Amino acid sequence: MDNAPILNVAALRARVADEDLDILKGVDLAIKPGEIHAIMGPNGSGKSTLAKVIAGHPAYEPTGGLVNFDGEDLLEMEPDERAQAGVFMAFQYPVEIPGVSIANFLRTALQARLEDGEELDLFDFQELLMDRMELLEMDPSFAQRSVNDGFSGGEKKRNEILQMAILNPSLAVMDETDSGLDIDALKIVANGVNTLKKENPDISVLLITHYQRILNHVTPDVVHVMVDGRIVESGGPEVALALEARGYEEYRNAHAA
Amino acid sequence: MSQAAVVRQRTDPAIGRATVAGMGAADPAWLRARRDEAWAIYQATPMPSTRSEEWRYTDLARKLQLDDLVVADGHTGPAAGALLPGPLRRTMEQDGDSAGRIVDVDGKVVSVELDESLARQGVVLTSLREAARQGDDNIRRLLATAAVPATDGKFPALNAALWSDGVFLRVPSGVTIERPVRLSRWVSRSGSATFTRILIVAEASSRLSFVEETLSPDFDRTTLVNTAVEVFSRGGAQVQYVSLQRLGRGGFYLANQRTLAERDSTLDTLNVALGGSVGRVDLNARLLGPGANSDMLGLYFGDADQHFDFNTSQDHVSPHAHSDLLYKGALDGSARGVFRGIIRVHEGAQGTDAYQTNRNLILSDDAIATSLPNLEIGADDVRCSHGATVGQLDAEALFYLMSRGLTRGRAERLVVLGFLGEVLSRLPLGGVVEKVTNAIVAKLRNV
């Protein structure tokens, strides 16, 4: 395994575009290929902002520091270029795209990776799609539905995992993918991550979560605690357990002091 | 086909009494009388003005100079057997299977084909002019009387006086036509005015689908295409009528469509507006018997300075009928879209189910969508709803797609296609979906 981090975040500061106050106030984070990192933190700590800045959400604006991905300056890239480079973000609130089938969407996404003039082979695509759906134990008819249109919370998460399986990123950022989910839906996400990880051990995963519970199903290599725009503690899975027992108060007080 | 600019000469037929007489010269007496009567109504009817609610957003007086137009009298088209214009041939090649085809060039039917087995079962597909001259009794009873009579307004009157040709399609009781019947219409002369009609009669328990497509090159002068479409579905019949408007720039499309759905019949329509400079469609769906059903679909995509205006009405004359309207439009450049629709539940039309939805997607700062849904309810036991939205491309949706590797352009195209595609998926006729999708994609490349 390569020892250089695939993702290197250093002194990253960012704010909501057109607002004065930084939400991220100097984040440092390095993830090596194949590692699973979890970032936990209370509401408003900036953990979801970190995910969106990595993916290139236009509503957020970096104001300092750097994000290096696989040797490239991610902050200089458009969201689609980041995706092409191998970054994938599973959305907390996946967006409905009425009238566009999942299959069509994924086909267009794969086509976008090809050079101009190159055509995606439709049979190869169909085979890949069926193979991935089988791996994730999904009904083939699912791919014919419009993207997230009228989906339940669980179906939306399932769709995110399917996209991840097709696009096969080198870094998957799971943005509060477990929020508002019942235990079955949470298991969809966890099983999906585990299945894909097993198949491709080099995938790095950044799990952003408010709760400890998803970590009962996905075992992280490193757990970070984020409070007020900074990572205030990093350690093994025991950090999450301690946090579950004690809550975030202690960190907040320590940080305020 | 070249399209030399035509400036009307003294000898060219103008919109006027003499042209009405000339047009009717070879017609039977009843038809000549009907033309004369229509002309009188035309003259007595003022030009629609923006002071009237129905024409508030389309200023005909400014956009259309009738006096300059040369009437296509059916003598300017190609000779029989002449090669059809390239763009017309190419679009016909993209059509799927057809049960019958009719080609109209500059207001004259130049060819008619109908599946022989259907002809043997009594299906009639023919030039409207020929059928009228041969004294078909259906035409005498139904032409410009029960559906789009001259009394309907200035342009229905003008069309009834000056129509040069058109289509007559009649399907006898119980006969099913599986594949669509297609009309391909080509207008070549810049500065011309084409008046054409369609009369469709689906007898009891018959089935048919009809697709009309209008094409032209770009024009350097305003060029009018005026159609009057009359569709009758008798008890239990199932009818689908589709109009694809793909005129070139300079084209001015004015359509008056009326559908009359009798007991337990289904009469669905789809209007697609992609071409021309101005397009105005007046569609009136009449639900005349219990169990009658009309799905009314519309799709428009305007760019540059295109102007599309739809004026629809759902007349629930009978109780226990159903109608459902969905019109969706995307507008780019400085295009303008107008939708004005009304559901009228007539007195005593209990158990009416009527819905009306208009949705607009605005792709540029200068594009404008105006949406005016309306209800007029004269019964108490009804289920009606209407709704309208005007929105922009959702930034969150674009980011979502881009985060999967799509460029901004591809992401926008996918969202627009999905938005408009919903309409096509409700009436997926062979050839129509592919053709309209391709035309939308071609327009989107310029976005």
Side-chain angles (χ1 to χ4, degrees):
Chain A
M1 194 178 285
D2 193 343
N3 264 334
I6 178 128
L7 180 77
N8 192 12
V9 178
L12 179 66
R13 303 181 71 86
R15 62 187 178 193
V16 173
D18 303 326
E19 284 186 14
D20 295 333
L21 225 55
D22 281 346
I23 299 172
L24 300 184
K25 299 170 182 174
V27 175
D28 298 292
L29 174 71
I31 303 179
K32 289 178 185 166
E35 285 183 346
I36 298 181
H37 287 226
I39 294 189
M40 303 183 66
N43 289 330
S45 59
K47 58 190 190 301
S48 200
T49 298
L50 175 63
K52 292 186 173 91
V53 170
I54 291 172
H57 196 293
Y60 296 86
E61 183 183 13
T63 53
L66 63 87
V67 179
N68 194 293
F69 177 76
D70 207 7
E72 293 187 79
D73 180 359
L74 214 53
L75 298 181
E76 286 301 308
M77 295 158 77
E78 292 293 323
D80 53 315
E81 295 168 334
R82 300 180 196 206
Q84 304 279 3
V87 176
F88 176 88
M89 179 171 85
F91 279 50
Q92 181 177 7
Y93 303 111
V95 185
E96 298 188 7
I97 317 280
V100 178
S101 72
I102 292 172
N104 185 14
F105 171 33
L106 289 170
R107 198 170 54 229
T108 311
L110 287 181
Q111 173 71 47
R113 290 183 174 178
L114 303 178
E115 300 286 324
D116 275 349
E118 259 188 277
E119 281 289 327
L120 186 70
D121 186 297
L122 291 185
F123 290 102
D124 290 352
F125 169 73
Q126 200 58 27
E127 211 169 297
L128 173 71
L129 181 61
M130 287 305 127
D131 175 69
R132 300 287 83 181
M133 294 185 84
E134 201 181 312
L135 178 74
L136 297 169
E137 297 175 349
M138 298 172 73
D139 190 304
S141 67
F142 186 74
Q144 299 312 316
R145 295 175 64 185
S146 285
V147 177
N148 297 322
D149 192 9
F151 282 21
S152 68
E155 287 170 331
K156 285 184 180 174
K157 303 299 169 176
R158 215 179 256 277
N159 188 19
E160 296 296 286
I161 297 294
L162 174 63
Q163 292 173 46
M164 180 179 157
I166 295 274
L167 297 174
N168 191 27
S170 32
L171 172 69
V173 181
M174 319 299 288
D175 182 17
E176 307 225 22
T177 327
D178 60 333
S179 297
L181 290 188
D182 56 39
I183 190 69
D184 291 338
L186 188 141
K187 280 183 182 164
I188 293 169
V189 175
N191 291 343
V193 170
N194 290 333
T195 305
L196 296 176
K197 190 81 182 68
K198 199 163 149 190
E199 216 191 26
N200 178 7
D202 281 349
I203 293 186
S204 306
V205 178
L206 179 58
L207 261 176
I208 309 263
T209 181
H210 183 81
Y211 305 101
Q212 191 269 339
R213 56 180 189 164
I214 194 167
L215 303 182
N216 294 333
H217 304 277
V218 179
T219 312
D221 299 299
V222 185
V223 175
H224 308 274
V225 180
M226 192 166 188
V227 175
D228 194 27
R230 288 186 188 86
I231 287 175
V232 295
E233 185 175 354
S234 301
E238 73 283 354
V239 172
L241 294 170
L243 199 58
E244 185 78 350
R246 299 202 306 265
Y248 291 110
E249 270 318 296
E250 184 178 317
Y251 290 107
R252 262 199 269 247
N253 297 338
H255 185 69
Chain B
M1 177 168 282
S2 69
Q3 46 113 3
V6 178
V7 177
R8 195 169 63 77
Q9 307 293 314
R10 284 168 65 87
T11 51
D12 282 328
I15 291 175
R17 181 77 191 81
T19 307
V20 176
M23 204 72 88
D27 287 344
W30 67 265
L31 185 50
R32 280 204 308 275
R34 211 165 279 182
R35 286 184 188 275
D36 290 344
E37 197 183 324
W39 178 252
I41 293 168
Y42 169 76
Q43 285 197 300
T45 308
M47 190 74 163
S49 97
T50 53
R51 286 188 301 275
S52 88
E53 196 51 46
E54 296 201 352
W55 287 90
R56 207 166 122 199
Y57 299 96
T58 300
D59 190 348
L60 277 181
R62 200 168 55 82
K63 289 182 185 287
L64 187 64
Q65 266 71 53
L66 287 174
D67 292 343
D68 297 344
L69 298 170
V70 177
V71 175
D73 56 6
H75 298 300
T76 56
L83 199 60
L84 294 175
L88 183 63
R89 272 184 287 128
R90 282 192 289 278
T91 194
M92 288 171 67
E93 282 160 12
Q94 288 165 28
D95 287 329
D97 284 353
S98 307
R101 327 199 47 127
I102 198 154
V103 180
D104 177 314
V105 176
D106 288 315
K108 185 178 165 55
V109 168
V110 297
S111 76
V112 182
E113 291 166 26
L114 177 66
D115 191 299
E116 269 179 37
S117 69
L118 293 171
R120 279 198 299 274
Q121 291 176 74
V123 173
V124 177
L125 174 68
T126 178
S127 148
L128 186 61
R129 193 77 181 272
E130 288 305 313
R133 284 179 181 168
Q134 283 161 16
D136 189 304
D137 187 52
N138 284 288
I139 296 181
R140 189 170 174 165
R141 276 188 296 116
L142 299 176
L143 185 82
T145 55
V148 187
T151 48
D152 249 22
K154 188 78 171 171
F155 285 93
L158 188 57
N159 189 294
L162 278 176
W163 65 278
S164 58
D165 206 344
V167 175
F168 175 54
L169 171 61
R170 180 174 173 272
V171 183
S173 295
V175 174
T176 291
I177 307 186
E178 297 284 355
R179 290 159 292 147
V181 173
R182 300 179 202 268
L183 163 64
S184 307
R185 180 187 291 128
W186 175 259
V187 175
S188 71
R189 288 186 86 191
S190 183
S192 64
T194 302
F195 298 95
T196 174
R197 301 186 74 89
I198 295 171
L199 176 59
I200 297 172
V201 183
E203 300 293 357
S205 305
S206 67
R207 274 177 63 186
L208 72 92
S209 56
F210 185 88
V211 182
E212 150 190 21
E213 182 175 12
T214 305
L215 286 149
S216 80
D218 290 337
F219 297 118
D220 53 5
R221 296 162 60 81
T222 298
T223 302
L224 176 68
V225 178
N226 176 237
T227 68
V229 179
E230 304 179 293
V231 187
F232 298 82
S233 63
R234 308 298 192 197
Q238 290 181 45
V239 178
Q240 297 171 319
Y241 165 81
V242 177
S243 162
L244 308 180
Q245 190 273 95
R246 302 179 62 197
L247 286 168
R249 295 305 151 96
F252 196 117
Y253 183 76
L254 266 179
N256 286 94
Q257 306 166 347
R258 181 164 287 163
T259 62
L260 294 94
E262 294 182 7
R263 172 185 283 266
D264 296 323
S265 72
T266 296
L267 212 175
D268 298 337
T269 55
L270 166 63
N271 272 294
V272 176
L274 297 170
S277 289
V278 183
R280 158 81 178 207
V281 175
D282 285 83
L283 165 61
N284 174 226
R286 298 180 75 80
L287 290 304
L288 298 175
N293 178 63
S294 281
D295 280 358
M296 302 157 72
L297 301 165
L299 182 164
Y300 45 103
F301 184 4
D303 58 20
D305 59 353
Q306 285 185 302
H307 178 108
F308 297 130
D309 182 347
F310 295 93
N311 185 34
T312 69
S313 45
Q314 292 153 263
D315 266 293
H316 283 258
V317 180
S318 159
H320 301 290
H322 179 274
S323 69
D324 190 357
L325 176 144
L326 174 67
Y327 271 59
K328 292 181 99 168
L331 298 163
D332 191 35
S334 57
R336 176 87 194 241
V338 181
F339 172 85
R340 184 178 180 282
I342 186 163
I343 295 171
R344 286 192 211 95
V345 180
H346 292 224
E347 212 179 300
Q350 304 295 358
T352 288
D353 254 347
Y355 309 99
Q356 182 191 39
T357 307
N358 173 231
R359 299 203 187 289
N360 297 279
L361 192 55
I362 302 291
L363 304 176
S364 83
D365 292 341
D366 294 328
I368 305 174
T370 307
S371 191
L372 305 155
N374 218 334
L375 288 172
E376 198 179 283
I377 298 183
D380 47 24
D381 174 24
V382 300
R383 279 195 294 170
C384 292
S385 74
H386 62 174
T389 56
V390 177
Q392 291 172 336
L393 278 177
D394 177 18
E396 199 65 25
L398 292 181
F399 172 63
Y400 186 62
L401 297 175
M402 288 178 75
S403 79
R404 301 313 186 230
L406 277 66
T407 59
R408 176 170 300 276
R410 276 179 192 270
E412 287 181 358
R413 271 177 241 159
L414 202 58
V415 172
V416 174
L417 268 179
F419 174 79
L420 295 176
E422 185 198 352
V423 172
L424 298 175
S425 68
R426 292 235 205 141
L427 214 167
L429 280 182
V432 172
V433 177
E434 301 84 347
K435 194 179 277 192
V436 173
T437 302
N438 289 340
I440 294 169
V441 169
K443 285 189 97 162
L444 278 169
R445 291 199 204 288
N446 303 321
V447 168

